[in-house]
Amino acid sequence: TLQALVVTAETNLADAQSLGGDTVTDAASAVAFVSAVATLVNEAETADLANKVNKLFIKSQGLVSAATLLVDQNNTYQQILDNAEDLLSDANTEVDKVSAFDAALAELVIAADAAVTEFDVEVTAAKAIAIDAADVADAKQTLSMTAEAASTSALADAQNATIDTAVNAAAALELATAAVSAASEFAASVDALEIAIAQAKAAAQAYLDVAVTDEDKDA
């Protein structure tokens, strides 16, 4: 769910923050901090939380407006309005959380840039970021392959279902719904993989751009 994604982002933010500040005392700790921030930035780009929560907020506003019109005509629709208002309140909360996350992340990026300069770790940090980005892309590929297998299996189950009785028809509908859900998860995993690959390529190029020696470039 969107709320779960926000919680994950907040947790990852806290992890990155724990590596900064007074924890950065030498080149090694600076590289660890900078790399963690870069990974968090990439994760934020993939999650696209600001766009998602804004869409939810706008949708919630529309539901409240529609429900209000219904209640004006008939009070029996009050529960629908109450539910819509609860959704709007939750959406507003998530918007605030994501805004706070974005602001904190921006501060971390500034701190990471300062750490690179202070400890002169541009090359080593770029290398660490490139390695981490490649690892993430590999992990996303594995997830995508798993999602593809699940989608293929769910589709086969749906196609093999029978509808000769009411019970079987109901079961077939559940299988079809599961297949659609699995296909959606697979599509999302492919999107995430494409973003991760682009991020890995960008990180690798950024490393090559700052690599000084042939040894650096061949690493």
Side-chain angles (χ1 to χ4, degrees), residues 2 44 47-58 98 102:
L2 182 55
D48 194 20
L49 291 178
N51 183 45
K52 290 177 180 176
V53 295
N54 285 333
K55 284 183 177 179
L56 177 61
F57 183 74
I58 293 172
V98 172
D102 287 343

Side-chain angles (χ1 to χ4, degrees), residues 25-41:
T25 57
D26 54 20
S29 57
V31 169
F33 172 56
V34 172
S35 182
V37 172
T39 298
L40 187 59
V41 169

